[in-house]
Amino acid sequence: MIADVLQEAGDRMTKAVEVAKDDFNTVRTGRANPALFQRIPVDYYGTPTPLGQLASLQAPEARMLVITPYDKSALKEIEKAIATAPNLGATPSNDGTIIRVVMPELTQDRRREFVKIVRDKGENAKVSVRNIRRKAKDDLDALTGEVGDDEIARGEKELEALTKRHVEQIDEALKRKEAELLEV
Protein backbone atom coordinates (compact mmCIF):
# COMPACT_ATOMS: atom_id res chain seq x y z
CA MET A 1 0.00 0.00 0.00
CA ILE A 2 2.82 2.39 0.88
CA ALA A 3 4.60 1.42 -2.33
CA ASP A 4 1.44 2.29 -4.32
CA VAL A 5 1.22 5.74 -2.72
CA LEU A 6 4.91 6.40 -3.41
CA GLN A 7 4.63 5.10 -6.99
CA GLU A 8 1.66 7.37 -7.75
CA ALA A 9 3.37 10.38 -6.14
CA GLY A 10 6.56 9.68 -8.13
CA ASP A 11 4.65 9.45 -11.40
CA ARG A 12 2.78 12.68 -10.72
CA MET A 13 6.00 14.49 -9.73
CA THR A 14 7.72 13.30 -12.91
CA LYS A 15 4.81 14.68 -14.95
CA ALA A 16 5.09 17.99 -13.06
CA VAL A 17 8.80 18.20 -13.97
CA GLU A 18 8.01 17.48 -17.64
CA VAL A 19 5.32 20.17 -17.66
CA ALA A 20 7.82 22.62 -16.15
CA LYS A 21 10.38 21.85 -18.86
CA ASP A 22 7.73 22.31 -21.57
CA ASP A 23 6.73 25.56 -19.91
CA PHE A 24 10.35 26.76 -19.95
CA ASN A 25 10.45 26.11 -23.71
CA THR A 26 7.62 28.61 -24.23
CA VAL A 27 9.90 31.45 -23.07
CA ARG A 28 11.97 32.63 -25.97
CA THR A 29 15.68 32.94 -26.22
CA GLY A 30 17.54 34.70 -29.03
CA ARG A 31 16.72 31.88 -31.45
CA ALA A 32 13.48 31.04 -33.23
CA ASN A 33 12.25 27.83 -31.66
CA PRO A 34 9.08 26.10 -32.92
CA ALA A 35 8.27 25.11 -29.30
CA LEU A 36 7.65 28.81 -28.57
CA PHE A 37 4.72 28.82 -30.93
CA GLN A 38 3.23 25.36 -30.32
CA ARG A 39 0.81 26.48 -27.61
CA ILE A 40 -0.20 29.91 -28.92
CA PRO A 41 -4.03 29.83 -28.94
CA VAL A 42 -5.55 30.63 -32.33
CA ASP A 43 -9.26 31.40 -32.71
CA TYR A 44 -10.13 28.65 -35.22
CA TYR A 45 -13.84 28.79 -36.09
CA GLY A 46 -14.65 30.13 -32.63
CA THR A 47 -12.54 27.58 -30.72
CA PRO A 48 -9.14 28.43 -29.19
CA THR A 49 -6.84 25.86 -30.78
CA PRO A 50 -3.06 25.51 -30.22
CA LEU A 51 -1.05 26.69 -33.24
CA GLY A 52 0.83 23.36 -33.35
CA GLN A 53 -2.43 21.65 -34.35
CA LEU A 54 -3.18 24.11 -37.16
CA ALA A 55 0.15 24.45 -38.93
CA SER A 56 3.62 23.02 -39.43
CA LEU A 57 6.45 25.04 -37.92
CA GLN A 58 10.02 25.14 -39.27
CA ALA A 59 13.03 27.21 -38.31
CA PRO A 60 15.11 27.63 -41.52
CA GLU A 61 17.34 30.28 -39.92
CA ALA A 62 18.38 31.09 -36.36
CA ARG A 63 15.96 34.01 -35.98
CA MET A 64 13.26 33.10 -38.51
CA LEU A 65 10.31 30.74 -38.26
CA VAL A 66 8.15 29.62 -41.18
CA ILE A 67 4.57 28.62 -40.41
CA THR A 68 2.62 26.69 -43.04
CA PRO A 69 -1.08 26.37 -42.11
CA TYR A 70 -2.87 23.13 -42.98
CA ASP A 71 -6.01 25.16 -43.67
CA LYS A 72 -5.27 28.33 -45.68
CA SER A 73 -8.46 29.98 -44.39
CA ALA A 74 -6.89 30.13 -40.91
CA LEU A 75 -3.95 32.24 -42.16
CA LYS A 76 -5.30 35.60 -40.92
CA GLU A 77 -6.28 34.20 -37.50
CA ILE A 78 -2.84 32.60 -37.05
CA GLU A 79 -1.13 35.85 -38.00
CA LYS A 80 -3.31 37.80 -35.54
CA ALA A 81 -2.65 35.30 -32.72
CA ILE A 82 1.14 35.54 -33.22
CA ALA A 83 1.06 39.34 -33.32
CA THR A 84 -0.87 39.52 -30.03
CA ALA A 85 1.01 36.72 -28.22
CA PRO A 86 2.64 37.98 -25.00
CA ASN A 87 6.42 37.85 -24.45
CA LEU A 88 7.26 37.25 -28.13
CA GLY A 89 7.62 40.70 -29.64
CA ALA A 90 7.59 39.08 -33.09
CA THR A 91 5.93 40.57 -36.15
CA PRO A 92 4.56 38.02 -38.61
CA SER A 93 4.46 38.64 -42.36
CA ASN A 94 1.96 36.82 -44.54
CA ASP A 95 2.48 36.10 -48.25
CA GLY A 96 -0.86 34.35 -48.81
CA THR A 97 0.33 30.78 -48.29
CA ILE A 98 2.84 30.88 -45.43
CA ILE A 99 3.69 33.13 -42.52
CA ARG A 100 7.26 34.21 -41.84
CA VAL A 101 8.13 35.35 -38.33
CA VAL A 102 11.44 37.12 -37.73
CA MET A 103 12.38 37.20 -34.06
CA PRO A 104 13.81 40.54 -32.91
CA GLU A 105 17.18 40.67 -31.18
CA LEU A 106 16.88 40.49 -27.39
CA THR A 107 18.11 43.38 -25.27
CA GLN A 108 19.79 42.79 -21.92
CA ASP A 109 16.76 44.18 -20.05
CA ARG A 110 14.41 41.89 -21.95
CA ARG A 111 16.65 38.92 -21.14
CA ARG A 112 16.47 39.75 -17.42
CA GLU A 113 12.70 40.04 -17.72
CA PHE A 114 12.53 36.57 -19.28
CA VAL A 115 14.73 35.17 -16.50
CA LYS A 116 12.20 36.48 -13.96
CA ILE A 117 9.37 34.83 -15.90
CA VAL A 118 11.25 31.51 -16.02
CA ARG A 119 12.03 31.67 -12.29
CA ASP A 120 8.35 32.25 -11.58
CA LYS A 121 7.41 29.24 -13.72
CA GLY A 122 10.04 27.17 -11.89
CA GLU A 123 8.64 28.20 -8.52
CA ASN A 124 5.14 27.25 -9.64
CA ALA A 125 6.43 23.83 -10.67
CA LYS A 126 8.09 23.35 -7.28
CA VAL A 127 4.81 24.29 -5.57
CA SER A 128 2.97 21.65 -7.60
CA VAL A 129 5.57 19.02 -6.60
CA ARG A 130 5.14 20.02 -2.95
CA ASN A 131 1.36 19.78 -3.29
CA ILE A 132 1.77 16.24 -4.63
CA ARG A 133 4.01 15.47 -1.64
CA ARG A 134 1.38 16.84 0.77
CA LYS A 135 -1.37 14.69 -0.75
CA ALA A 136 0.85 11.60 -0.65
CA LYS A 137 1.70 12.33 3.00
CA ASP A 138 -2.02 12.57 3.79
CA ASP A 139 -2.54 9.23 2.03
CA LEU A 140 0.27 7.71 4.12
CA ASP A 141 -1.24 9.11 7.31
CA ALA A 142 -4.58 7.55 6.37
CA LEU A 143 -2.90 4.12 6.48
CA THR A 144 -2.00 4.51 10.16
CA GLY A 145 -4.37 1.81 11.46
CA GLU A 146 -3.54 -0.70 8.71
CA VAL A 147 0.27 -0.43 8.61
CA GLY A 148 2.89 -0.08 11.35
CA ASP A 149 4.27 3.32 12.35
CA ASP A 150 7.82 2.31 11.37
CA GLU A 151 6.72 1.49 7.84
CA ILE A 152 4.87 4.80 7.54
CA ALA A 153 7.95 6.67 8.82
CA ARG A 154 10.10 4.85 6.25
CA GLY A 155 7.55 5.72 3.53
CA GLU A 156 7.65 9.39 4.56
CA LYS A 157 11.46 9.39 4.33
CA GLU A 158 11.24 7.91 0.83
CA LEU A 159 8.61 10.52 -0.07
CA GLU A 160 10.93 13.32 1.10
CA ALA A 161 13.82 11.89 -0.97
CA LEU A 162 11.51 11.62 -3.99
CA THR A 163 10.38 15.23 -3.56
CA LYS A 164 13.95 16.47 -3.16
CA ARG A 165 15.05 14.65 -6.33
CA HIS A 166 12.22 16.16 -8.41
CA VAL A 167 12.79 19.68 -7.05
CA GLU A 168 16.47 19.33 -7.98
CA GLN A 169 15.47 18.32 -11.52
CA ILE A 170 13.36 21.49 -11.79
CA ASP A 171 16.27 23.58 -10.45
CA GLU A 172 18.64 22.01 -12.99
CA ALA A 173 16.27 22.74 -15.89
CA LEU A 174 15.84 26.28 -14.56
CA LYS A 175 19.63 26.84 -14.47
CA ARG A 176 19.97 25.60 -18.06
CA LYS A 177 17.19 27.90 -19.25
CA GLU A 178 18.64 30.91 -17.40
CA ALA A 179 22.06 30.29 -18.94
CA GLU A 180 20.42 29.98 -22.36
CA LEU A 181 18.54 33.25 -21.86
CA LEU A 182 21.54 35.22 -20.64
CA GLU A 183 23.85 33.91 -23.40
CA VAL A 184 24.49 36.69 -25.91
mmCIF file of all heavy atoms in Angstrom, residues 105-144:
data_model
loop_
_atom_site.group_PDB
_atom_site.id
_atom_site.type_symbol
_atom_site.label_atom_id
_atom_site.label_comp_id
_atom_site.label_asym_id
_atom_site.label_seq_id
_atom_site.Cartn_x
_atom_site.Cartn_y
_atom_site.Cartn_z
ATOM 1 N N GLU A 105 16.028 40.888 -32.060
ATOM 2 C CA GLU A 105 17.180 40.671 -31.175
ATOM 3 C C GLU A 105 16.769 41.016 -29.743
ATOM 4 O O GLU A 105 16.040 41.969 -29.514
ATOM 5 C CB GLU A 105 18.333 41.572 -31.632
ATOM 6 C CG GLU A 105 19.690 41.154 -31.147
ATOM 7 C CD GLU A 105 20.119 39.811 -31.677
ATOM 8 O OE1 GLU A 105 19.984 39.556 -32.880
ATOM 9 O OE2 GLU A 105 20.613 39.018 -30.866
ATOM 10 N N LEU A 106 17.236 40.231 -28.794
ATOM 11 C CA LEU A 106 16.883 40.486 -27.391
ATOM 12 C C LEU A 106 17.835 41.495 -26.759
ATOM 13 O O LEU A 106 19.049 41.382 -26.907
ATOM 14 C CB LEU A 106 16.970 39.190 -26.579
ATOM 15 C CG LEU A 106 15.836 38.202 -26.736
ATOM 16 C CD1 LEU A 106 16.108 36.962 -25.892
ATOM 17 C CD2 LEU A 106 14.524 38.801 -26.331
ATOM 18 N N THR A 107 17.275 42.451 -26.034
ATOM 19 C CA THR A 107 18.106 43.383 -25.273
ATOM 20 C C THR A 107 18.424 42.759 -23.919
ATOM 21 O O THR A 107 17.772 41.799 -23.503
ATOM 22 C CB THR A 107 17.361 44.715 -25.045
ATOM 23 O OG1 THR A 107 16.211 44.449 -24.235
ATOM 24 C CG2 THR A 107 16.932 45.358 -26.349
ATOM 25 N N GLN A 108 19.398 43.322 -23.224
ATOM 26 C CA GLN A 108 19.787 42.790 -21.916
ATOM 27 C C GLN A 108 18.631 42.908 -20.914
ATOM 28 O O GLN A 108 18.407 41.998 -20.124
ATOM 29 C CB GLN A 108 21.030 43.536 -21.400
ATOM 30 C CG GLN A 108 21.748 42.828 -20.272
ATOM 31 C CD GLN A 108 22.261 41.451 -20.674
ATOM 32 O OE1 GLN A 108 22.648 41.215 -21.814
ATOM 33 N NE2 GLN A 108 22.260 40.532 -19.735
ATOM 34 N N ASP A 109 17.898 44.012 -20.953
ATOM 35 C CA ASP A 109 16.758 44.184 -20.047
ATOM 36 C C ASP A 109 15.680 43.137 -20.315
ATOM 37 O O ASP A 109 15.094 42.583 -19.383
ATOM 38 C CB ASP A 109 16.152 45.583 -20.203
ATOM 39 C CG ASP A 109 17.068 46.673 -19.687
ATOM 40 O OD1 ASP A 109 17.957 46.351 -18.873
ATOM 41 O OD2 ASP A 109 16.882 47.841 -20.095
ATOM 42 N N ARG A 110 15.427 42.886 -21.587
ATOM 43 C CA ARG A 110 14.406 41.892 -21.954
ATOM 44 C C ARG A 110 14.847 40.496 -21.505
ATOM 45 O O ARG A 110 14.019 39.706 -21.044
ATOM 46 C CB ARG A 110 14.210 41.934 -23.468
ATOM 47 C CG ARG A 110 12.988 41.232 -23.943
ATOM 48 C CD ARG A 110 11.758 42.106 -23.756
ATOM 49 N NE ARG A 110 10.656 41.465 -24.429
ATOM 50 C CZ ARG A 110 9.519 41.166 -23.835
ATOM 51 N NH1 ARG A 110 9.313 41.476 -22.585
ATOM 52 N NH2 ARG A 110 8.557 40.577 -24.500
ATOM 53 N N ARG A 111 16.132 40.212 -21.606
ATOM 54 C CA ARG A 111 16.646 38.915 -21.142
ATOM 55 C C ARG A 111 16.409 38.748 -19.646
ATOM 56 O O ARG A 111 15.990 37.692 -19.184
ATOM 57 C CB ARG A 111 18.135 38.785 -21.454
ATOM 58 C CG ARG A 111 18.448 38.604 -22.911
ATOM 59 C CD ARG A 111 19.968 38.599 -23.127
ATOM 60 N NE ARG A 111 20.304 38.682 -24.519
ATOM 61 C CZ ARG A 111 20.389 37.639 -25.344
ATOM 62 N NH1 ARG A 111 20.161 36.449 -24.889
ATOM 63 N NH2 ARG A 111 20.698 37.808 -26.597
ATOM 64 N N ARG A 112 16.687 39.813 -18.876
ATOM 65 C CA ARG A 112 16.468 39.750 -17.424
ATOM 66 C C ARG A 112 14.988 39.550 -17.104
ATOM 67 O O ARG A 112 14.640 38.834 -16.170
ATOM 68 C CB ARG A 112 16.990 41.017 -16.760
ATOM 69 C CG ARG A 112 18.488 41.058 -16.671
ATOM 70 C CD ARG A 112 18.962 42.140 -15.708
ATOM 71 N NE ARG A 112 20.317 42.534 -16.065
ATOM 72 C CZ ARG A 112 20.641 43.633 -16.744
ATOM 73 N NH1 ARG A 112 19.714 44.490 -17.102
ATOM 74 N NH2 ARG A 112 21.896 43.898 -17.042
ATOM 75 N N GLU A 113 14.141 40.196 -17.891
ATOM 76 C CA GLU A 113 12.698 40.035 -17.715
ATOM 77 C C GLU A 113 12.285 38.574 -17.941
ATOM 78 O O GLU A 113 11.493 38.019 -17.179
ATOM 79 C CB GLU A 113 12.002 40.927 -18.750
ATOM 80 C CG GLU A 113 10.750 41.603 -18.271
ATOM 81 C CD GLU A 113 10.240 42.541 -19.348
ATOM 82 O OE1 GLU A 113 10.837 43.624 -19.533
ATOM 83 O OE2 GLU A 113 9.244 42.181 -20.015
ATOM 84 N N PHE A 114 12.831 37.967 -18.981
ATOM 85 C CA PHE A 114 12.527 36.568 -19.278
ATOM 86 C C PHE A 114 13.051 35.640 -18.182
ATOM 87 O O PHE A 114 12.420 34.637 -17.868
ATOM 88 C CB PHE A 114 13.094 36.158 -20.641
ATOM 89 C CG PHE A 114 12.299 36.685 -21.813
ATOM 90 C CD1 PHE A 114 12.933 37.050 -22.979
ATOM 91 C CD2 PHE A 114 10.921 36.815 -21.740
ATOM 92 C CE1 PHE A 114 12.201 37.528 -24.064
ATOM 93 C CE2 PHE A 114 10.183 37.287 -22.813
ATOM 94 C CZ PHE A 114 10.827 37.648 -23.978
ATOM 95 N N VAL A 115 14.206 35.978 -17.601
ATOM 96 C CA VAL A 115 14.734 35.170 -16.497
ATOM 97 C C VAL A 115 13.760 35.201 -15.323
ATOM 98 O O VAL A 115 13.490 34.172 -14.694
ATOM 99 C CB VAL A 115 16.146 35.655 -16.077
ATOM 100 C CG1 VAL A 115 16.558 35.052 -14.757
ATOM 101 C CG2 VAL A 115 17.163 35.302 -17.156
ATOM 102 N N LYS A 116 13.190 36.373 -15.042
ATOM 103 C CA LYS A 116 12.197 36.482 -13.962
ATOM 104 C C LYS A 116 10.979 35.614 -14.261
ATOM 105 O O LYS A 116 10.452 34.944 -13.377
ATOM 106 C CB LYS A 116 11.760 37.936 -13.772
ATOM 107 C CG LYS A 116 12.794 38.800 -13.101
ATOM 108 C CD LYS A 116 12.281 40.218 -12.965
ATOM 109 C CE LYS A 116 13.376 41.151 -12.483
ATOM 110 N NZ LYS A 116 12.954 42.559 -12.529
ATOM 111 N N ILE A 117 10.530 35.635 -15.509
ATOM 112 C CA ILE A 117 9.372 34.830 -15.904
ATOM 113 C C ILE A 117 9.673 33.344 -15.717
ATOM 114 O O ILE A 117 8.854 32.591 -15.178
ATOM 115 C CB ILE A 117 8.977 35.136 -17.370
ATOM 116 C CG1 ILE A 117 8.408 36.546 -17.472
ATOM 117 C CG2 ILE A 117 7.970 34.118 -17.893
ATOM 118 C CD1 ILE A 117 8.225 37.041 -18.894
ATOM 119 N N VAL A 118 10.875 32.929 -16.136
ATOM 120 C CA VAL A 118 11.255 31.515 -16.015
ATOM 121 C C VAL A 118 11.365 31.116 -14.548
ATOM 122 O O VAL A 118 10.932 30.029 -14.159
ATOM 123 C CB VAL A 118 12.579 31.242 -16.780
ATOM 124 C CG1 VAL A 118 13.134 29.887 -16.458
ATOM 125 C CG2 VAL A 118 12.352 31.363 -18.268
ATOM 126 N N ARG A 119 11.935 31.978 -13.723
ATOM 127 C CA ARG A 119 12.034 31.667 -12.287
ATOM 128 C C ARG A 119 10.650 31.498 -11.676
ATOM 129 O O ARG A 119 10.436 30.631 -10.837
ATOM 130 C CB ARG A 119 12.811 32.759 -11.561
ATOM 131 C CG ARG A 119 14.292 32.674 -11.807
ATOM 132 C CD ARG A 119 15.043 33.720 -11.011
ATOM 133 N NE ARG A 119 16.467 33.629 -11.289
ATOM 134 C CZ ARG A 119 17.305 34.622 -11.153
ATOM 135 N NH1 ARG A 119 16.887 35.793 -10.718
ATOM 136 N NH2 ARG A 119 18.590 34.460 -11.434
ATOM 137 N N ASP A 120 9.721 32.351 -12.085
ATOM 138 C CA ASP A 120 8.351 32.249 -11.582
ATOM 139 C C ASP A 120 7.727 30.917 -11.997
ATOM 140 O O ASP A 120 7.078 30.249 -11.197
ATOM 141 C CB ASP A 120 7.524 33.428 -12.099
ATOM 142 C CG ASP A 120 6.156 33.497 -11.467
ATOM 143 O OD1 ASP A 120 6.080 33.382 -10.223
ATOM 144 O OD2 ASP A 120 5.165 33.661 -12.203
ATOM 145 N N LYS A 121 7.932 30.523 -13.242
ATOM 146 C CA LYS A 121 7.414 29.242 -13.721
ATOM 147 C C LYS A 121 8.056 28.085 -12.953
ATOM 148 O O LYS A 121 7.390 27.106 -12.621
ATOM 149 C CB LYS A 121 7.672 29.084 -15.223
ATOM 150 C CG LYS A 121 6.815 29.976 -16.092
ATOM 151 C CD LYS A 121 7.190 29.838 -17.553
ATOM 152 C CE LYS A 121 6.449 30.785 -18.431
ATOM 153 N NZ LYS A 121 5.138 30.339 -18.821
ATOM 154 N N GLY A 122 9.353 28.201 -12.665
ATOM 155 C CA GLY A 122 10.042 27.167 -11.887
ATOM 156 C C GLY A 122 9.490 27.066 -10.473
ATOM 157 O O GLY A 122 9.305 25.967 -9.937
ATOM 158 N N GLU A 123 9.210 28.206 -9.870
ATOM 159 C CA GLU A 123 8.644 28.202 -8.517
ATOM 160 C C GLU A 123 7.257 27.574 -8.512
ATOM 161 O O GLU A 123 6.917 26.808 -7.603
ATOM 162 C CB GLU A 123 8.603 29.631 -7.953
ATOM 163 C CG GLU A 123 8.337 29.696 -6.477
ATOM 164 C CD GLU A 123 9.297 28.869 -5.635
ATOM 165 O OE1 GLU A 123 10.522 28.915 -5.879
ATOM 166 O OE2 GLU A 123 8.827 28.166 -4.725
ATOM 167 N N ASN A 124 6.464 27.869 -9.535
ATOM 168 C CA ASN A 124 5.138 27.252 -9.638
ATOM 169 C C ASN A 124 5.240 25.735 -9.775
ATOM 170 O O ASN A 124 4.435 24.995 -9.206
ATOM 171 C CB ASN A 124 4.359 27.831 -10.817
ATOM 172 C CG ASN A 124 3.932 29.263 -10.586
ATOM 173 O OD1 ASN A 124 3.880 29.732 -9.447
ATOM 174 N ND2 ASN A 124 3.639 29.968 -11.656
ATOM 175 N N ALA A 125 6.238 25.273 -10.522
ATOM 176 C CA ALA A 125 6.434 23.828 -10.674
ATOM 177 C C ALA A 125 6.830 23.194 -9.341
ATOM 178 O O ALA A 125 6.350 22.110 -8.993
ATOM 179 C CB ALA A 125 7.503 23.554 -11.734
ATOM 180 N N LYS A 126 7.689 23.875 -8.588
ATOM 181 C CA LYS A 126 8.086 23.352 -7.278
ATOM 182 C C LYS A 126 6.878 23.289 -6.336
ATOM 183 O O LYS A 126 6.740 22.333 -5.566
ATOM 184 C CB LYS A 126 9.173 24.219 -6.650
ATOM 185 C CG LYS A 126 10.512 24.110 -7.336
ATOM 186 C CD LYS A 126 11.503 25.009 -6.620
ATOM 187 C CE LYS A 126 12.678 25.346 -7.472
ATOM 188 N NZ LYS A 126 13.582 26.297 -6.822
ATOM 189 N N VAL A 127 6.017 24.286 -6.401
ATOM 190 C CA VAL A 127 4.812 24.290 -5.572
ATOM 191 C C VAL A 127 3.926 23.091 -5.929
ATOM 192 O O VAL A 127 3.387 22.421 -5.039
ATOM 193 C CB VAL A 127 4.042 25.623 -5.727
ATOM 194 C CG1 VAL A 127 2.650 25.535 -5.139
ATOM 195 C CG2 VAL A 127 4.820 26.749 -5.070
ATOM 196 N N SER A 128 3.801 22.798 -7.213
ATOM 197 C CA SER A 128 2.973 21.650 -7.596
ATOM 198 C C SER A 128 3.579 20.341 -7.100
ATOM 199 O O SER A 128 2.858 19.450 -6.657
ATOM 200 C CB SER A 128 2.726 21.626 -9.105
ATOM 201 O OG SER A 128 3.889 21.303 -9.805
ATOM 202 N N VAL A 129 4.913 20.229 -7.132
ATOM 203 C CA VAL A 129 5.569 19.024 -6.601
ATOM 204 C C VAL A 129 5.313 18.919 -5.099
ATOM 205 O O VAL A 129 5.019 17.842 -4.574
ATOM 206 C CB VAL A 129 7.091 19.036 -6.914
ATOM 207 C CG1 VAL A 129 7.832 17.989 -6.114
ATOM 208 C CG2 VAL A 129 7.322 18.816 -8.397
ATOM 209 N N ARG A 130 5.388 20.045 -4.406
ATOM 210 C CA ARG A 130 5.140 20.018 -2.950
ATOM 211 C C ARG A 130 3.684 19.677 -2.637
ATOM 212 O O ARG A 130 3.407 19.018 -1.638
ATOM 213 C CB ARG A 130 5.533 21.359 -2.331
ATOM 214 C CG ARG A 130 7.023 21.577 -2.339
ATOM 215 C CD ARG A 130 7.404 22.877 -1.633
ATOM 216 N NE ARG A 130 8.756 23.231 -1.966
ATOM 217 C CZ ARG A 130 9.121 24.333 -2.618
ATOM 218 N NH1 ARG A 130 8.220 25.210 -2.997
ATOM 219 N NH2 ARG A 130 10.393 24.571 -2.884
ATOM 220 N N ASN A 131 2.771 20.127 -3.479
ATOM 221 C CA ASN A 131 1.358 19.775 -3.286
ATOM 222 C C ASN A 131 1.146 18.268 -3.461
ATOM 223 O O ASN A 131 0.367 17.661 -2.731
ATOM 224 C CB ASN A 131 0.460 20.550 -4.241
ATOM 225 C CG ASN A 131 0.317 22.002 -3.852
ATOM 226 O OD1 ASN A 131 0.542 22.374 -2.697
ATOM 227 N ND2 ASN A 131 -0.057 22.837 -4.806
ATOM 228 N N ILE A 132 1.842 17.691 -4.424
ATOM 229 C CA ILE A 132 1.766 16.243 -4.629
ATOM 230 C C ILE A 132 2.320 15.532 -3.395
ATOM 231 O O ILE A 132 1.751 14.547 -2.918
ATOM 232 C CB ILE A 132 2.528 15.832 -5.908
ATOM 233 C CG1 ILE A 132 1.834 16.408 -7.145
ATOM 234 C CG2 ILE A 132 2.646 14.319 -6.010
ATOM 235 C CD1 ILE A 132 2.661 16.360 -8.415
ATOM 236 N N ARG A 133 3.428 16.052 -2.857
ATOM 237 C CA ARG A 133 4.007 15.472 -1.638
ATOM 238 C C ARG A 133 3.006 15.542 -0.484
ATOM 239 O O ARG A 133 2.825 14.575 0.254
ATOM 240 C CB ARG A 133 5.291 16.202 -1.236
ATOM 241 C CG ARG A 133 5.849 15.668 0.083
ATOM 242 C CD ARG A 133 6.959 16.506 0.638
ATOM 243 N NE ARG A 133 6.461 17.830 0.977
ATOM 244 C CZ ARG A 133 7.241 18.869 1.255
ATOM 245 N NH1 ARG A 133 8.546 18.753 1.199
ATOM 246 N NH2 ARG A 133 6.733 20.023 1.556
ATOM 247 N N ARG A 134 2.328 16.682 -0.329
ATOM 248 C CA ARG A 134 1.380 16.844 0.773
ATOM 249 C C ARG A 134 0.237 15.837 0.664
ATOM 250 O O ARG A 134 -0.160 15.211 1.645
ATOM 251 C CB ARG A 134 0.817 18.268 0.796
ATOM 252 C CG ARG A 134 -0.074 18.507 2.010
ATOM 253 C CD ARG A 134 -0.514 19.946 2.237
ATOM 254 N NE ARG A 134 -0.232 20.923 1.216
ATOM 255 C CZ ARG A 134 -1.089 21.284 0.260
ATOM 256 N NH1 ARG A 134 -2.275 20.740 0.177
ATOM 257 N NH2 ARG A 134 -0.748 22.215 -0.619
ATOM 258 N N LYS A 135 -0.280 15.645 -0.560
ATOM 259 C CA LYS A 135 -1.368 14.693 -0.748
ATOM 260 C C LYS A 135 -0.886 13.273 -0.454
ATOM 261 O O LYS A 135 -1.593 12.492 0.188
ATOM 262 C CB LYS A 135 -1.932 14.769 -2.160
ATOM 263 C CG LYS A 135 -3.138 13.835 -2.309
ATOM 264 C CD LYS A 135 -3.654 13.756 -3.698
ATOM 265 C CE LYS A 135 -4.813 12.819 -3.853
ATOM 266 N NZ LYS A 135 -4.766 11.583 -3.102
ATOM 267 N N ALA A 136 0.314 12.936 -0.908
ATOM 268 C CA ALA A 136 0.853 11.597 -0.649
ATOM 269 C C ALA A 136 1.061 11.393 0.853
ATOM 270 O O ALA A 136 0.796 10.307 1.375
ATOM 271 C CB ALA A 136 2.163 11.404 -1.407
ATOM 272 N N LYS A 137 1.516 12.433 1.547
ATOM 273 C CA LYS A 137 1.700 12.326 3.003
ATOM 274 C C LYS A 137 0.360 12.100 3.691
ATOM 275 O O LYS A 137 0.252 11.282 4.612
ATOM 276 C CB LYS A 137 2.372 13.575 3.557
ATOM 277 C CG LYS A 137 2.605 13.504 5.054
ATOM 278 C CD LYS A 137 3.781 14.308 5.463
ATOM 279 C CE LYS A 137 4.027 14.350 6.938
ATOM 280 N NZ LYS A 137 3.341 13.431 7.789
ATOM 281 N N ASP A 138 -0.677 12.794 3.242
ATOM 282 C CA ASP A 138 -2.024 12.568 3.794
ATOM 283 C C ASP A 138 -2.484 11.137 3.546
ATOM 284 O O ASP A 138 -3.084 10.510 4.426
ATOM 285 C CB ASP A 138 -3.031 13.548 3.187
ATOM 286 C CG ASP A 138 -2.803 14.990 3.634
ATOM 287 O OD1 ASP A 138 -2.054 15.195 4.621
ATOM 288 O OD2 ASP A 138 -3.356 15.906 2.984
ATOM 289 N N ASP A 139 -2.183 10.620 2.343
ATOM 290 C CA ASP A 139 -2.543 9.228 2.031
ATOM 291 C C ASP A 139 -1.790 8.257 2.942
ATOM 292 O O ASP A 139 -2.351 7.250 3.384
ATOM 293 C CB ASP A 139 -2.245 8.907 0.563
ATOM 294 C CG ASP A 139 -3.176 9.656 -0.389
ATOM 295 O OD1 ASP A 139 -4.185 10.221 0.082
ATOM 296 O OD2 ASP A 139 -2.877 9.686 -1.605
ATOM 297 N N LEU A 140 -0.513 8.564 3.213
ATOM 298 C CA LEU A 140 0.266 7.709 4.118
ATOM 299 C C LEU A 140 -0.302 7.769 5.547
ATOM 300 O O LEU A 140 -0.400 6.745 6.223
ATOM 301 C CB LEU A 140 1.742 8.126 4.130
ATOM 302 C CG LEU A 140 2.567 7.787 2.893
ATOM 303 C CD1 LEU A 140 3.957 8.391 2.999
ATOM 304 C CD2 LEU A 140 2.661 6.289 2.696
ATOM 305 N N ASP A 141 -0.669 8.963 5.966
ATOM 306 C CA ASP A 141 -1.236 9.112 7.315
ATOM 307 C C ASP A 141 -2.560 8.368 7.437
ATOM 308 O O ASP A 141 -2.910 7.892 8.524
ATOM 309 C CB ASP A 141 -1.431 10.589 7.651
ATOM 310 C CG ASP A 141 -0.111 11.322 7.868
ATOM 311 O OD1 ASP A 141 0.923 10.635 8.075
ATOM 312 O OD2 ASP A 141 -0.113 12.573 7.813
ATOM 313 N N ALA A 142 -3.299 8.259 6.353
ATOM 314 C CA ALA A 142 -4.575 7.550 6.370
ATOM 315 C C ALA A 142 -4.383 6.045 6.576
ATOM 316 O O ALA A 142 -5.313 5.342 6.971
ATOM 317 C CB ALA A 142 -5.337 7.811 5.087
ATOM 318 N N LEU A 143 -3.189 5.554 6.319
ATOM 319 C CA LEU A 143 -2.902 4.117 6.475
ATOM 320 C C LEU A 143 -2.480 3.754 7.903
ATOM 321 O O LEU A 143 -2.126 2.609 8.162
ATOM 322 C CB LEU A 143 -1.776 3.700 5.507
ATOM 323 C CG LEU A 143 -2.042 3.842 4.013
ATOM 324 C CD1 LEU A 143 -0.784 3.539 3.223
ATOM 325 C CD2 LEU A 143 -3.171 2.925 3.586
ATOM 326 N N THR A 144 -2.520 4.710 8.808
ATOM 327 C CA THR A 144 -1.997 4.509 10.162
ATOM 328 C C THR A 144 -2.529 3.254 10.842
ATOM 329 O O THR A 144 -1.767 2.500 11.423
ATOM 330 C CB THR A 144 -2.297 5.750 11.041
ATOM 331 O OG1 THR A 144 -1.686 6.880 10.445
ATOM 332 C CG2 THR A 144 -1.740 5.573 12.441
#
